[in-house]
Amino acid sequence: MSVENKTIVVAGAGGGMGKEIVRLLLADKANVVGCDINVEGLSEFQTEGNFLALQGDLLDEAVVKDMFDQANTTFGGINGLVNAAGIAQRATPIEEVSLKAWHKIMNLNMTMAFLTCREAVRYMKENKAGSIVNIGSVSTTRPRPGLQSYVASKGAIESFSKALALELAPDKINVNILHPGPCDTSMLEQFAKEGANIDEVKDSVFKQSVPLGELLTPIDIANSVKFLLSNEAKMITGTVMHVDGGRSV
Ligand SMILES: NC(=O)c1ccc[n+]([C@@H]2O[C@H](COP(=O)([O-])OP(=O)(O)OC[C@H]3O[C@@H](n4cnc5c(N)ncnc54)[C@H](O)[C@@H]3O)[C@@H](O)[C@H]2O)c1
């Protein structure tokens, strides 16, 4: 299972999962372009010759275009894209959710991936090859109360990924969706109700909801992302992969 010499753009590279994905891909000798609005956490990779950090808002069309252009110029092509950016929703009854909050969640969890996929595909089509992994959420299959906007955004990216898989199959571009279960990153605590004791919620709600009895960790997600980007997954497209300790069952 290798991604050696592939050039892979990771959107949301500065996040809990994104950073671990970057680390694993670099260890396997891929060229990695880490994009995030906040790249501070990526400084440890700067000494690696095969890593490029790009700071910017991935909801800005011009910024996204420029980032892919830089990735292509630096490494001579783009073979993979991972969409690991996004935001959580604090559990909130629907009547208290503002339209502004709804749009923000839909934009960051769906529109942003539309923009990065659209740009990546321009380069992948030239080579008639490529792999895209979009990170969704197990909440699409097993919703929790109060997360209606987040769940809708993740359902949208699942449908989008399947539609894109079919559209891009003639160009040999694979598109898959990976649904993580509750994963121990800073995002997890943002799903709890305002004022909740996060350590207590992690243990009594999130951990308890995983049949295998543990919270997921970023490396669990990174391992499966790497597989979906590898040559060994070349016949896998349009698939929904759950990495959730059984939460979706
Ligand atoms: N942590 C969990 O329990 C969990 C569970 C299921 C799914 N997910 C999904 O997994 C993905 C990664 O989650 P995580 O836990 O690593 O979250 P995280 O908050 O640690 O990382 C998200 C990253 O997205 C970046 N980002 C946000 N807006 C951006 C913008 N406009 N432009 C560029 N970058 C931007 C942030 O700066 C951050 O680095 C998300 O899509 C999330 O919805 C997380």
Side-chain angles (χ1 to χ4, degrees):
M1 185 170 99
S2 169
V3 291
E4 191 170 351
N5 295 327
K6 288 180 188 282
T7 296
I8 296 160
V9 176
V10 180
M17 291 183 201
K19 197 170 164 184
E20 207 53 39
I21 292 166
V22 169
R23 192 190 312 282
L24 190 65
L25 297 177
L26 286 174
D28 203 36
K29 301 190 174 61
N31 302 315
V32 181
V33 182
C35 307
D36 205 295
I37 202 157
N38 180 358
V39 292
E40 273 169 33
L42 296 171
S43 53
E44 68 185 84
F45 304 121
Q46 292 294 10
T47 51
E48 311 252 1
N50 52 342
F51 179 68
L52 177 67
L54 297 175
Q55 189 276 328
D57 182 354
L58 287 160
L59 266 179
D60 183 324
E61 251 183 316
V63 167
V64 174
K65 193 171 187 326
D66 181 59
M67 282 179 169
F68 279 82
D69 184 46
Q70 284 193 59
N72 183 53
T73 308
T74 307
F75 294 117
I78 293 170
N79 310 105
L81 165 66
V82 183
N83 277 307
I87 51 163
Q89 176 182 16
R90 212 166 268 302
T92 315
I94 186 168
E95 62 274 29
E96 292 171 25
V97 178
S98 67
L99 183 59
K100 194 174 165 202
W102 164 270
H103 281 315
K104 187 175 179 190
I105 291 171
M106 293 304 281
N107 280 338
L108 285 166
N109 290 346
M110 178 61 250
T111 308
M112 198 150 70
F114 158 72
L115 290 175
T116 56
C117 285
R118 189 178 66 177
E119 217 47 53
V121 162
R122 297 190 208 282
Y123 295 96
M124 290 175 179
K125 275 192 174 177
E126 280 173 23
N127 299 329
K128 287 252 175 223
S131 303
I132 297 174
V133 182
N134 292 324
I135 308 283
S137 167
V138 69
S139 65
T140 305
T141 323
R142 297 285 306 274
R144 289 182 196 278
L147 301 188
Q148 70 305 107
S149 316
Y150 180 81
V151 173
S153 70
K154 294 299 185 176
I157 199 171
E158 179 180 321
S159 306
F160 172 75
S161 304
K162 288 179 182 171
L164 214 52
L166 203 65
E167 179 181 327
L168 300 176
D171 296 291
K172 303 282 186 201
I173 300 169
N174 305 44
V175 186
N176 291 292
I177 179 116
L178 186 155
H179 285 327
C183 184
D184 205 359
T185 70
S186 62
M187 183 182 275
L188 190 58
E189 55 200 66
Q190 293 161 35
F191 287 110
K193 277 189 193 143
E194 195 78 59
N197 175 332
I198 186 57
D199 290 329
E200 206 267 319
V201 172
K202 263 190 189 177
D203 206 51
S204 68
V205 178
F206 293 119
K207 203 166 143 187
Q208 295 298 324
S209 72
V210 179
L212 283 177
E214 291 169 35
L215 289 179
L216 280 286
T217 57
I219 190 66
D220 297 318
I221 310 303
N223 282 326
S224 294
V225 167
K226 181 181 144 187
F227 167 64
L228 290 171
L229 293 169
S230 72
N231 296 334
E232 285 75 5
K234 76 180 176 58
M235 290 306 287
I236 302 177
T237 196
T239 289
V240 179
M241 180 187 271
H242 283 97
V243 183
D244 64 3
R247 163 81 182 142
S248 56
V249 179

